[in-house]
Amino acid sequence: MKMIIDTDPGVDDAIAIALAHALPEINLIGLTTVFGNTRVDQSSRNARFLLDMLGSDAPVAEGAAKPWNDYPFEPSAWVHGPEGLGDLAEVPQIGKNHPLPAAEFLVEMARQHKGELVICAIAPLTNIADALALDPEFADNLGKLVIMGGNLHCPGNITEYAEANIYHDPNAADAVFASNLKTVMVGLDVTLQTLLVPEDFAALAASAPTTGGFINRISEFYLKFYKEVANLDGCPMHDAAAILACSDPDWFGHETTGLKVSSDGDNIGATLADTSRPNVQVATKIDAKAALSKLKSALSHLH
Ligand code: BDR
Ligand code: CA
């Protein structure tokens, strides 16, 4: 499967990228970056650093630095750390970004791999909405869009109503749900069931000292956040769940509905059913045991 991950790494993004790299059924043809957990320049730097650590030569195309319509934005340093990778104070600058901006890269790749490309978007949807605005054929050319974001039957995580990726750019997310893209939404309804606990990270560090050791290190900050804020003894693998929805769709149960995103009021950023919109496959069930076991096994085989 040819895949581009649109990302804002981010602790769980880093794990999702490592998973995609580890799975033989995924051919990672690039990463596109966006603001979100971090500023976009931090996202790109982190993405290049992670790919280098994994031994991947996939390109990184940098995208949007801010949301549509001058919507306010602040990086989520309290969740993912000041540089996006836990308590790491410095992340090396390795290599350079691809010359094309993210939206152009997405448009070009969707055209080149017509009908075959899967974009797994695990960050605010600004680059995807920009690609739609750039090329009227983008929705037709793209094989599938799988997003980590939103919440249908459960509360939000950044507010009572909204999930963070959608909340960070509600207008762009709404444009994506209004489009004819073939979209699968993997939101909090399922990702909150994919918890890894400290023992899982320790085991990973033992079996894959470099990559697993790094994931173990950056996860400490993320685990602490979930303990303090939600009193959870583990942390959800939000973004990795979206990768697994690409590789193993049968482990997910779906509801089919159109969606819109609230753009004002208390529930700004909420994903709401709207039957006048094109259908989206919304994941509402997950075989979390199978998903977590595949995640742990794939990561344990890294170096
Ligand atoms: C999403 O928001 C970010 O903090 C995570 O990386 C994930 O993509 C979860 O709501
Ligand atoms: Ca993310």
Side-chain angles (χ1 to χ4, degrees):
M1 173 190 308
K2 292 172 184 164
M3 180 185 285
I4 295 177
I5 304 180
D6 187 66
T7 178
D8 56 346
V11 175
D12 64 324
D13 298 71
I15 296 169
I17 293 165
L19 171 65
H21 173 77
L23 292 180
E25 62 265 48
I26 294 179
N27 172 10
L28 191 57
I29 64 173
L31 301 183
T32 49
T33 58
V34 66
F35 71 90
N37 296 326
T38 49
R39 298 186 316 266
V40 72
D41 60 300
Q42 295 172 306
S43 298
S44 306
R45 177 205 57 193
N46 293 355
R48 286 185 274 108
F49 168 74
L50 290 164
L51 289 175
D52 180 69
M53 184 172 63
L54 291 163
S56 163
D57 55 10
V60 173
E62 183 165 293
K66 58 186 179 62
W68 277 17
N69 305 355
D70 289 326
Y71 187 72
F73 155 69
E74 198 192 325
S76 305
W78 66 95
V79 188
H80 294 272
E83 299 297 329
L85 296 175
D87 69 356
L88 249 69
E90 273 174 48
V91 182
Q93 285 282 0
I94 293 173
K96 285 202 164 29
N97 293 330
H98 191 275
L100 284 183
E104 284 179 45
F105 183 77
L106 292 173
V107 161
E108 191 47 45
M109 289 299 119
R111 195 176 292 153
Q112 256 180 50
H113 305 286
K114 188 170 165 59
E116 287 181 26
L117 180 66
V118 174
I119 298 178
C120 188
I122 55 176
L125 292 171
T126 321
N127 290 337
I128 315 301
D130 284 345
L132 281 167
L134 210 56
D135 180 6
E137 288 170 18
F138 178 64
D140 257 4
N141 288 343
L142 189 68
K144 184 161 73 168
L145 172 70
V146 177
I147 67 168
M148 189 285 129
N151 51 311
L152 192 61
H153 299 303
C154 68
N157 59 357
I158 196 160
T159 71
E160 192 186 334
Y161 304 99
E163 182 281 328
N165 287 340
I166 305 295
Y167 179 84
H168 277 136
D169 195 343
N171 300 301
D174 192 63
V176 169
F177 291 130
S179 77
N180 285 322
L181 283 165
K182 298 163 268 312
T183 303
V184 179
M185 175 175 124
V186 180
L188 300 177
D189 300 78
V190 293
T191 66
L192 285 172
Q193 297 171 49
T194 59
L195 294 192
L196 285 190
V197 297
E199 294 72 34
D200 293 322
F201 292 109
L204 213 52
S207 49
T210 304
T211 314
F214 180 77
I215 289 173
N216 181 37
R217 156 114 201 250
I218 63 174
S219 296
E220 268 176 43
F221 191 96
Y222 197 54
L223 280 162
K224 216 166 120 212
F225 167 80
Y226 276 99
K227 183 72 195 165
E228 277 168 18
V229 168
N231 196 26
L232 286 177
D233 291 324
C235 55
M237 295 293 100
H238 297 292
D239 291 343
I243 304 285
L244 290 164
C246 301
S247 62
D248 296 274
D250 293 350
W251 291 344
F252 294 76
H254 297 99
E255 281 178 33
T256 303
T257 179
L259 290 173
K260 68 176 175 196
V261 178
S262 167
S263 60
D264 56 20
D266 283 352
N267 73 347
I268 189 164
T271 42
L272 308 168
D274 178 348
T275 50
S276 72
R277 287 284 181 82
N279 275 336
V280 171
Q281 297 282 104
V282 181
T284 51
K285 290 199 178 122
I286 181 174
D287 183 341
K289 206 167 159 222
L292 287 173
S293 131
K294 178 153 177 169
L295 171 64
K296 288 189 277 186
S297 151
L299 296 180
S300 73
H301 290 104
L302 291 168
H303 65 114

